[in-house]
Amino acid sequence: MANHRISEATNHNHNSHLPYSLIHGLNNNHPSGFINQDGSSSFDFGELEEAIVLQGVKYRNEEAKPPLLGGGGGATTLEMFPSWPIRTHQTLPTESSKSGGESSDSGSANFSGKAESQQPESPMSSKQNHHHLMLQHHHHNMANSSSTSGLPSTSRTLAPPKPSEDKRKATTSGKQLDAKAYVQQLESSRIKLSQLEQELQRARSQGLFMGGCGPPGPNITSGAAIFDMEYGRWLEDDNRHMSEIRTGLQAHLSDNDLRLIVDGYIAHFDEIFRLKAVAAKADVFHLIIGTWMSPAERCFIWMAGFRPSDLIKILVSQMDLLTEQQLMGIYSLQHSSQQAEEALSQGLEQLQQSLIETLAASPVIDGMQQMAVALGKISNLEGFIRQADNLRQQTVHQLRRILTVRQAARCFLVIGEYYGRLRALSSLWLSRPRETLMSDETSCQTTTDLQIVQSSRNHFSNF
Amino acid sequence: MQGTISCARNYNMTTVGESLRPLPLKTQGNGESVRAVVEENAVIVIGRRGCCMCHVVRRLLLGLGVNPAVLEIEEEKEEEVLRELERIGGGDTVKLPAVYVGGRLFGGLDRVMATHISGELVPILKEVGALWL
């Protein structure tokens, strides 16, 4: 039902009376702003929504009575939509006596009906009236109802609306179409909103945004927040690439097609390193501390990311299909990445040593100079993270060079799924039942864990 | 200075020993000494004193069996040395730490890492005689 849709569209569970016409009129003319006394109708939708809510409340709270300032006021606003057919308007009195009613068609219809009972006006002036009525209604509500919000009230008063008539057929189809379009727009926005909320919920539960450690601290920098958000998006992209590779392998695509997919995945990797380079400039500590990672990943963090040599360890199971030369290449890659990691780690140790020497000593000249020197040393951290990411990037590229397209696709799939499972492991761990922690027996935990695993199968990719 | 340099050369014949730290070369900062130092060493790492990245490069090369010469530049001399290095290199800007292999600019830590991973570094080092097998 149209009215039902309206109330859904506005996301107000308790507002059953939001009329089509109201929204239509609003959208029809001006998106925002206040209505001026001279009648230019710009609207503040936010205020309107609140006023509408209040109006709905008022309807519920009041006894059936002839259209008053408040109730009729609302009706008057709907006047702007003389095209809207009235359902029944006599049921309004009964409607308003309901308490906490959900969306009800007749109620909304009556609302419209009442509105349309006024003399025909142009949408503009109707909106103007509406606005004033809403504000006035709100003004009344402030005194009457308990659910008041901080809407400013105007001093302008309006004459009480006349009793509603129950005619009103559609006059112009144009208005109807506009209304429909607007409502559709509202609905799609609502759907988008709920989708975003779901995504956020899902991401939160997977510990992606907050790293599973709760909301970010009060000192999160904007660079960090931006990176967190972009990393979330990158993870979603990652899932998409994973399924692309998976279906590509299963479908036995040609090497050329697979090459495109694999190269796309490499570009996807390059993207995260680029993002991290930007974030390292903005907030290197945020990257190093790694709240953007899931807890299990963070546990094994090395220089703000994964260990490049880990990639090879992950691939060990896939090694049986390699030629002699490829095997040599893989082991040599593992060796050189380990050497490079070692060199970087030692460099970082030296940095820490140097920082200790700077800060632990009593300041020779003055504290500020000591701090300045220390700041200079800290600034090296960005370079380390950059070099570590460079190492990761080079390792991925080298992997691609050693392997054939199909092998590379399989390997990237394995790697991607490994990290996906590691992240899933994090959320499983975080959501494990705490009661069983009391007991020493691991067995009683097992059943519940199994249940969790069963129910979380969707965390794991399917082959 | 001659002795120091030839010592650096001799180091290449020994196995990697962490204890055998190369003596950091001092430069007067004038063009000639920098040029000489660059040309006379198969591998030389030039960096600011106390630079951690320098340390990383050195560690990496040591891990390969190369004992590179190291030139640590004082802050005051940095300008001059950079200018001289750019003259040697034909005008391209030089960023520290810089690695010179076979008398020519090889690159910074970026390039060393990349060539190390891709496996190109060792053959290059062997070519200039910094590595024997």
Side-chain angles (χ1 to χ4, degrees):
Chain A
M1 299 299 263
N3 296 306
H4 185 68
R5 282 168 68 206
I6 293 251
S7 35
E8 276 181 42
T10 54
N11 257 340
H12 291 299
N13 289 336
H14 54 284
N15 176 20
S16 50
H17 306 297
L18 191 62
Y20 250 119
S21 39
L22 214 61
I23 317 268
H24 165 55
L26 283 173
N27 192 47
N28 210 14
N29 296 297
H30 300 270
S32 65
F34 281 100
I35 284 205
N36 305 323
Q37 298 251 337
D38 60 2
S40 66
S41 49
S42 44
F43 238 88
D44 182 23
F45 192 49
E47 280 210 23
L48 174 64
E49 278 214 291
E50 300 220 40
I52 291 168
V53 168
L54 292 168
Q55 183 140 7
V57 170
K58 187 169 161 67
Y59 268 125
R60 261 176 262 116
N61 290 341
E62 288 174 0
E63 285 294 315
K65 39 191 149 187
L68 285 184
L69 212 54
T76 313
T77 58
L78 305 177
E79 167 45 41
M80 52 185 138
F81 312 108
S83 59
W84 284 103
I86 304 174
R87 310 280 176 111
T88 53
H89 82 102
Q90 278 87 1
T91 60
L92 176 63
T94 44
E95 207 47 47
S96 54
S97 57
K98 282 191 195 141
S99 60
E102 290 308 310
S103 64
S104 117
D105 295 351
S106 46
S108 310
N110 286 330
F111 201 49
S112 322
K114 281 191 179 300
E116 291 154 359
S117 65
Q118 298 288 329
Q119 68 277 12
E121 297 169 15
S122 70
M124 241 195 198
S125 50
S126 305
K127 232 168 72 160
Q128 174 185 7
N129 282 341
H130 167 67
H131 183 75
H132 295 142
L133 284 163
M134 296 302 280
L135 290 172
Q136 189 183 23
H137 174 69
H138 165 69
H139 192 61
H140 280 266
N141 267 348
M142 293 269 266
N144 300 338
S145 88
S146 52
S147 60
T148 57
S149 57
L151 285 182
S153 51
T154 62
S155 52
R156 185 166 166 136
T157 55
L158 297 156
K162 305 181 183 70
S164 60
E165 307 152 11
D166 78 302
K167 308 183 199 22
R168 296 311 156 205
K169 304 296 171 191
T171 49
T172 53
S173 56
K175 280 183 185 167
Q176 276 181 325
L177 282 172
D178 281 338
K180 282 205 177 89
Y182 186 79
V183 167
Q184 267 164 19
Q185 201 181 28
L186 269 182
E187 274 203 28
S188 61
S189 310
R190 184 191 61 85
I191 290 168
K192 226 178 266 175
L193 178 64
S194 56
Q195 269 173 5
L196 279 172
E197 279 173 345
Q198 274 172 28
E199 264 182 52
L200 190 60
Q201 183 60 32
R202 191 176 21 103
R204 277 227 179 93
S205 68
Q206 289 178 10
L208 292 173
F209 281 114
M210 315 303 187
C213 61
N219 299 323
I220 191 166
T221 65
S222 64
I226 290 170
F227 176 74
D228 282 358
M229 196 182 60
E230 302 205 301
Y231 181 66
R233 236 182 271 145
W234 185 86
L235 279 177
E236 287 174 15
D237 259 358
D238 198 63
N239 286 333
R240 198 174 39 81
H241 275 104
M242 282 290 111
S243 42
E244 230 179 50
I245 294 180
R246 195 176 302 120
T247 50
L249 282 173
Q250 283 171 351
H252 299 290
L253 288 182
S254 74
D255 271 8
N256 281 332
D257 293 336
L258 217 46
R259 183 171 301 119
L260 284 172
I261 296 178
V262 168
D263 288 348
Y265 190 60
I266 303 245
H268 170 72
F269 255 109
D270 289 343
E271 175 68 15
I272 187 63
F273 295 131
R274 193 190 59 79
L275 289 173
K276 285 176 81 180
V278 171
K281 272 196 175 44
D283 188 350
V284 68
F285 282 128
H286 177 73
L287 282 184
I288 293 174
I289 290 167
T291 43
W292 52 278
M293 288 181 143
S294 63
E297 287 176 291
R298 202 184 312 140
C299 174
F300 303 110
I301 199 173
W302 176 80
M303 298 242 182
F306 61 88
R307 269 184 187 277
S309 53
D310 277 354
L311 288 185
I312 317 298
K313 289 184 198 159
I314 294 167
L315 294 176
V316 161
S317 56
Q318 301 292 308
M319 304 274 236
D320 48 336
L321 299 167
L322 303 179
T323 66
E324 189 77 23
Q325 193 185 23
Q326 284 178 323
L327 213 53
M328 294 271 295
I330 294 280
Y331 278 122
S332 139
L333 175 60
Q334 185 176 32
H335 185 57
S336 48
S337 61
Q338 275 170 342
Q339 281 175 320
E341 282 169 33
E342 191 55 34
L344 277 174
S345 300
Q346 288 187 8
L348 192 61
E349 269 179 39
Q350 203 213 26
L351 177 64
Q352 193 192 11
Q353 177 62 31
S354 151
L355 190 63
I356 287 174
E357 285 166 10
T358 304
L359 287 178
S362 41
V364 176
I365 300 166
D366 67 282
M368 280 321 295
Q369 207 229 6
Q370 182 187 40
M371 282 298 153
V373 171
L375 278 174
K377 297 193 173 169
I378 291 280
S379 66
N380 284 306
L381 282 174
E382 188 204 325
F384 272 100
I385 301 307
R386 227 176 37 78
Q387 289 303 330
D389 278 345
N390 180 35
L391 183 60
R392 292 179 187 111
Q393 191 173 25
Q394 294 301 324
T395 307
V396 168
H397 282 247
Q398 176 68 0
L399 210 49
R400 173 71 190 92
R401 280 193 285 265
I402 295 173
L403 302 170
T404 67
V405 174
R406 209 155 289 270
Q407 289 169 331
R410 266 202 299 271
C411 283
F412 288 137
L413 188 62
V414 170
I415 291 171
E417 291 192 335
Y418 166 78
Y419 283 107
R421 288 177 199 158
L422 195 57
R423 285 189 282 268
L425 190 65
S426 289
S427 47
L428 279 180
W429 177 255
L430 291 172
S431 60
R432 74 195 187 283
R434 306 290 173 134
E435 318 80 74
T436 60
L437 288 178
M438 288 302 145
S439 120
D440 277 345
E441 294 255 331
T442 53
S443 55
C444 53
Q445 243 184 331
T446 316
T447 13
T448 2
D449 279 343
L450 277 176
Q451 285 163 6
I452 295 172
V453 169
Q454 289 299 327
S455 61
S456 311
R457 285 192 86 74
N458 55 348
H459 280 285
F460 295 84
S461 345
N462 299 316
F463 261 101
Chain B
M1 183 152 136
Q2 194 62 308
T4 319
I5 293 183
S6 59
C7 273
R9 283 247 174 86
N10 288 336
Y11 284 148
N12 289 336
M13 298 188 69
T14 62
T15 52
V16 176
E18 312 283 282
S19 53
L20 291 171
R21 299 173 66 79
L23 298 171
L25 303 169
K26 296 277 189 292
T27 179
Q28 283 88 357
N30 59 8
E32 270 315 303
S33 64
V34 170
R35 184 184 289 271
V37 143
V38 163
E39 285 173 359
E40 289 173 14
N41 284 283
V43 180
I44 179 165
V45 180
I46 302 178
R48 297 179 193 95
R49 199 151 71 87
C51 169
C52 322
M53 288 304 169
C54 231
H55 191 73
V56 174
V57 178
R58 218 162 73 215
R59 281 284 162 201
L60 196 51
L61 292 172
L62 280 171
L64 293 174
V66 179
N67 213 341
V70 173
L71 181 60
E72 290 179 348
I73 306 178
E74 302 285 337
E75 211 174 305
E76 313 87 60
K77 300 276 170 63
E78 193 176 313
E79 253 318 302
E80 289 183 58
V81 174
L82 278 174
R83 260 186 287 129
E84 179 56 31
L85 289 175
E86 277 160 24
R87 238 173 301 165
I88 298 173
D92 300 326
T93 48
V94 173
K95 284 210 292 230
L96 299 180
V99 178
Y100 282 78
V101 175
R104 289 211 306 276
L105 176 62
F106 184 74
L109 182 53
D110 272 8
R111 180 131 193 258
V112 172
M113 283 281 200
T115 49
H116 176 57
I117 290 290
S118 66
E120 296 162 354
L121 186 57
V122 169
I124 293 174
L125 292 173
K126 283 189 184 163
E127 214 180 315
V128 294
L131 261 184
W132 273 273
L133 222 219

